[in-house]
Amino acid sequence: MAEVIRTRGLVKRYGRTAALAGLDLSVRPGEVHGFLGPNGAGKSTTIRILLGLARATAGEVSVFGADPWREAPRLHRRIAYVPGDVSLWPNLTGGEAIDLIGRLRSGSRDRAAAAAERERLVDAFEFDPRKKGRAYSKGNRQKAALIAAFATPAKLYIMDEPTSGLDPLMEQVFNREVRRVAAEGATVLLSSHILSEVEQLCSHVSIIRQGAVVESGTLADLRHLTRTSVAFSDAGVADADVRVVGALPGVHDVRREGGRVTLSADDTAMSGVLAELARIRVTGVIVQPASLEELFLRHYASSESESESESESEPEPDAGPDAGPGGRP
């Protein structure tokens, strides 16, 4: 199955600063793919290249099999994009801005269907389309961009921190619309640093660190790389029994405090751990599978340690006067 998005060895430099350092990303049709990393990791730079707004310094990039730098106008008819910081035309109303974006994208839906869909989304996002763009708050500007994106069918939705400025209720509306377009066969690339958002929506995840993808796969695949947490009441549990549990293969970090025993265990060790807990008849057992947050923090904790050691031994490079992710090269 051909990839909707494919990058290999993607590099982007601004002066002497490398925003991307050999990024490999693969997004297949129908995926809701989480692109995860903190601010400054290279997510937005990658998206600018995918949209044809910036040119790669080196490496390969394709969207629907085409070069986005050379074929951006054609590709944009199949793409809906939502940035994390939306600007609207100050003298247009929100409704006019949404209609204009829809016409620019040349969607295939007929006018009556498009109008009905727009009205449904306006109601769902509790958006007032009559105000001028200059009067909207950040959250309402974000709603306008989301309505424009979801109102006209697209084959690929690229979203860069799309829920920035939304309240929790509107985040749920957003989640519902992402699931809808995915069920209709669209592909979604969701860039975010909100772990819970990615975990709720995404079937696949790529974690980016210092301009390169360090982990990629399904959530199930990535959870195999972390440990399951287990906790139970220590009432009636002898110290000898705790030591036996702690000595099982694949068991780590056993602690007894505050009336609870906690430990972490490799996935392959869980059957033995649960059998032993049943044998000693523990109560109040809580088993928590590894989360995306644990995997994310593991990578970034090691990254911060590496950066601190490097900063002690090497001077900070001069980024040059043209450094930074703004503007087309």
Side-chain angles (χ1 to χ4, degrees):
M1 187 180 296
E3 295 147 307
V4 174
I5 294 171
R6 182 180 186 274
T7 75
R8 291 293 180 271
L10 192 62
V11 174
K12 179 61 179 176
R13 295 189 184 94
Y14 295 99
R16 294 171 60 190
T17 298
L20 298 178
L23 182 134
D24 295 336
L25 178 65
S26 176
V27 180
R28 296 186 176 276
E31 287 181 0
V32 180
H33 195 111
F35 194 38
L36 187 63
N39 294 333
K43 303 188 307 296
S44 294
T45 298
T46 303
I47 287 174
R48 288 174 61 81
I49 292 172
L50 295 176
L51 292 170
L53 301 177
R55 190 174 190 174
T57 304
E60 302 175 9
V61 56
S62 68
V63 178
F64 294 114
D67 181 347
W69 179 255
R70 292 185 172 88
E71 302 189 53
R74 180 173 66 85
L75 289 173
H76 284 187
R77 296 188 182 97
R78 307 173 71 184
I79 298 172
Y81 167 57
V82 178
D85 189 7
V86 175
S87 296
L88 298 177
W89 295 275
N91 292 322
L92 294 184
T93 66
E96 289 169 340
I98 292 167
D99 289 342
L100 177 57
I101 294 170
R103 289 197 296 272
L104 290 173
R105 286 201 25 236
S106 303
S108 60
R109 179 173 285 163
D110 64 60
R111 288 188 178 182
E117 184 67 356
R118 192 196 81 157
E119 291 306 310
R120 182 187 71 79
L121 290 163
V122 164
D123 290 342
F125 280 101
E126 299 178 3
F127 178 73
D128 183 353
R130 298 167 296 179
K131 292 183 179 179
K132 296 289 187 179
R134 67 169 71 92
Y136 286 122
S137 65
K138 176 176 173 55
N140 278 314
R141 294 196 304 271
Q142 208 67 31
K143 289 179 184 181
L146 289 168
I147 292 167
F150 288 127
T152 304
K155 295 295 184 183
L156 172 62
Y157 293 81
I158 297 179
M159 300 189 168
D160 189 4
E161 307 286 356
T163 59
S164 175
L166 297 186
D167 62 43
L169 181 60
M170 293 299 103
E171 288 177 10
Q172 291 303 310
V173 176
F174 167 78
N175 291 351
R176 186 172 68 238
E177 293 304 317
V178 170
R179 294 188 182 102
R180 175 183 64 81
V181 298
E184 293 172 356
T187 303
V188 181
L189 179 66
L190 175 59
S191 169
S192 181
H193 67 276
I194 302 174
L195 299 163
S196 59
E197 180 176 77
V198 172
E199 202 154 23
Q200 286 183 52
L201 290 172
C202 298
S203 55
H204 292 70
V205 171
S206 292
I207 298 177
I208 183 173
R209 185 182 76 183
Q210 297 176 346
V213 170
V214 292
E215 294 285 358
S216 188
T218 66
L219 284 176
D221 290 338
L222 296 183
R223 286 194 177 110
H224 287 313
L225 303 174
T226 55
R227 296 168 181 162
T228 298
S229 299
V230 180
F232 54 90
S233 170
D234 70 354
V237 179
D239 287 340
D241 289 328
V242 174
R243 288 194 294 271
V244 168
V245 174
L248 293 172
V251 173
H252 311 270
D253 306 322
V254 179
R255 296 180 182 176
R256 184 171 191 165
E257 57 187 11
R260 304 283 289 173
V261 177
T262 60
L263 59 91
S264 60
D266 299 336
D267 283 351
T268 53
M270 281 305 299
S271 58
V273 171
L274 294 176
E276 186 61 26
L277 295 184
R279 186 191 68 78
I280 62 179
R281 301 191 178 190
V282 301
T283 59
V285 178
I286 298 174
V287 178
Q288 184 173 354
S291 70
L292 188 59
E293 183 173 11
E294 290 174 276
L295 182 65
F296 180 82
L297 291 176
R298 187 184 77 179
H299 278 297
Y300 277 92
S302 63
S303 174
E304 288 172 3
S305 298
E306 291 167 6
S307 298
E308 287 173 3
S309 63
E310 288 173 3
S311 64
E312 291 173 358
S313 59
E314 297 180 12
E316 185 175 347
D318 178 13
D322 59 341
R328 189 172 179 135

